[in-house]
Amino acid sequence: MKEKKDLEKYFGDIKKLSTLPTVVAKLIKIIEDPNSKVEEVMRVISEDQAMVTNILKMVNSAFYSLSKKITSLSQAIVIIGFYNLKQLVIGTSVVNLFLNGTDSEFSREEFWRHSVATASTARLISKNIKYPYPEEAFVGGLIHDIGKLILEQYLHKDFMAALEYAEKKHVALVKAEEEIIGINHAEVGAYIAEKWNLPHVYIDILATHHKSILQNKTLNENQKKLIAIVKISNNFVKKKGIGQSGDKIITSLTPPYLNFVGITLGEIDKFYEWIRSETEVIMEQLGIKK
């Protein structure tokens, strides 16, 4: 195994490391201020017309299933609220940042198909078990594997070698990454999310979605439940073959995670066709499908 890399030392020197639009950081800060007003939020979002277009497109999609067409940003903000707006902006911004990839066998479209399906499944499970923050589960599922995109973009040869190693040795990609590169995509994803100043709930998902978390003393029950929802969704989607994120090893969904969340595989499986259909709709809305 390669020596463990210092992420700050390694990625700190990459001047062109992908960054989220400055509008996102401003918006998160304003929305998390309980005294913020709609006018302030509108002013910040209006700095990025592409973001305005994406918000209106998503708000008017089947994702929100609203009864009437929303034509203005102010309407959109009032109807979906600050909380949902924050999740929507984070999710669409990360997707837009990584739409186009290198010319390789690692398909960005198939990667995002897996991620969107994971997000849709996580949102579905959240609503089914009455988890209070289904949009957090959606965004967590959507961005849980972004560390792979960072590795593929900036350490392309090493990442492709890790993919090949994982397939030949029949091991999980995280193990192959550690053997070939010295870091894994979960660590890289959490590092980048922290650099972007994303809410800590997403940093936790990125850092721990391949770890055992039920006995983790540093996470509260809600944090554990959210991470468990994403873990279950990720494995379910891999098992069903919706998209391909590069990791072909499917770890078993042990009863403790399903019991902890309060759902069975049979209950999720009933929505398989809906998940697959919803995935294609959302991919089109996000501009992922070619």
Side-chain angles (χ1 to χ4, degrees):
M1 181 183 291
K2 277 206 173 182
E3 183 183 348
K4 204 75 173 172
K5 291 186 183 295
D6 182 323
L7 289 168
E8 182 63 41
K9 183 178 178 181
Y10 194 81
F11 286 105
D13 292 334
I14 299 178
K15 303 301 182 186
K16 293 182 179 179
L17 193 64
S18 300
T19 57
L20 288 178
T22 54
V23 170
V24 178
K26 285 185 191 175
L27 193 63
I28 291 172
K29 187 175 180 180
I30 289 174
I31 287 177
E32 290 182 347
D33 180 350
N35 298 315
S36 294
K37 294 181 171 56
V38 172
E39 292 75 19
E40 293 175 85
V41 175
M42 281 182 60
R43 177 178 52 77
V44 171
I45 296 176
S46 296
E47 294 175 18
D48 189 328
Q49 285 305 306
M51 186 177 290
V52 173
T53 301
N54 284 334
I55 289 170
L56 290 175
K57 189 189 295 182
M58 285 298 291
V59 167
N60 284 299
S61 73
F63 187 76
Y64 284 103
S65 302
L66 300 177
S67 58
K68 63 178 182 178
K69 187 175 177 64
I70 305 302
T71 57
S72 72
L73 185 58
S74 58
Q75 275 183 299
I77 294 170
V78 168
I79 288 174
I80 69 172
F82 281 179
Y83 164 75
N84 287 334
L85 177 68
K86 180 173 75 172
Q87 318 313 322
L88 182 58
V89 166
I90 291 171
T92 56
S93 297
V94 171
V95 170
N96 287 336
L97 197 60
F98 293 106
L99 272 182
N100 300 311
T102 55
D103 185 18
S104 75
E105 294 176 10
F106 186 73
S107 167
R108 287 284 172 103
E109 184 171 343
E110 286 305 305
F111 171 88
W112 283 118
R113 180 167 281 108
H114 164 81
S115 298
V116 171
T118 300
S120 296
T121 305
R123 189 170 181 248
L124 175 76
I125 292 172
S126 297
K127 290 188 171 184
N128 189 282
I129 67 169
K130 295 182 170 53
Y131 178 74
Y133 309 111
E135 306 309 328
E136 279 185 359
F138 180 89
V139 175
L142 186 66
I143 70 173
H144 74 281
D145 269 342
I146 57 167
K148 291 178 184 176
L149 298 182
I150 296 292
L151 289 174
E152 192 262 346
Q153 191 160 315
Y154 297 102
L155 296 174
H156 181 73
K157 287 183 179 178
D158 286 344
F159 181 69
M160 297 307 289
L163 288 173
E164 186 178 352
Y165 182 95
E167 187 161 10
K168 282 185 176 178
K169 300 287 187 180
H170 302 289
V171 297
L173 184 55
V174 286
K175 297 296 183 187
E177 289 163 347
E178 288 165 0
E179 288 288 342
I180 301 296
I181 309 172
I183 47 179
N184 66 54
H185 68 267
E187 295 166 330
V188 173
Y191 168 82
I192 295 299
E194 201 161 0
K195 282 286 184 187
W196 289 343
N197 292 314
L198 291 189
H200 217 278
V201 63
Y202 298 125
I203 298 172
D204 289 339
I205 290 171
L206 290 161
T208 63
H209 71 278
H210 285 296
K211 292 181 179 178
S212 177
I213 49 98
L214 295 184
Q215 304 305 317
N216 190 316
K217 304 293 186 186
T218 63
L219 300 170
N220 63 39
E221 289 302 292
N222 257 1
Q223 289 171 313
K224 289 179 184 178
K225 189 157 284 189
L226 179 58
I227 295 164
I229 288 169
V230 173
K231 285 169 74 73
I232 291 168
S233 302
N234 181 31
N235 278 18
F236 177 81
V237 168
K238 279 200 285 189
K239 186 178 179 182
K240 292 296 183 181
I242 309 176
Q244 174 53 255
S245 67
D247 197 343
K248 296 179 181 177
I249 298 295
I250 304 168
T251 53
S252 61
L253 290 168
T254 55
Y257 280 104
L258 294 163
N259 292 340
F260 178 70
V261 167
I263 200 165
T264 67
L265 281 178
E267 288 175 296
I268 306 171
D269 204 40
K270 286 190 297 185
F271 293 95
Y272 166 69
E273 292 298 338
W274 178 89
I275 291 166
R276 184 174 280 281
S277 172
E278 181 79 351
T279 295
E280 298 305 314
V281 169
I282 293 172
M283 283 183 67
E284 192 168 339
Q285 294 294 336
L286 289 172
I288 297 169
K289 290 178 78 169
K290 293 178 181 177

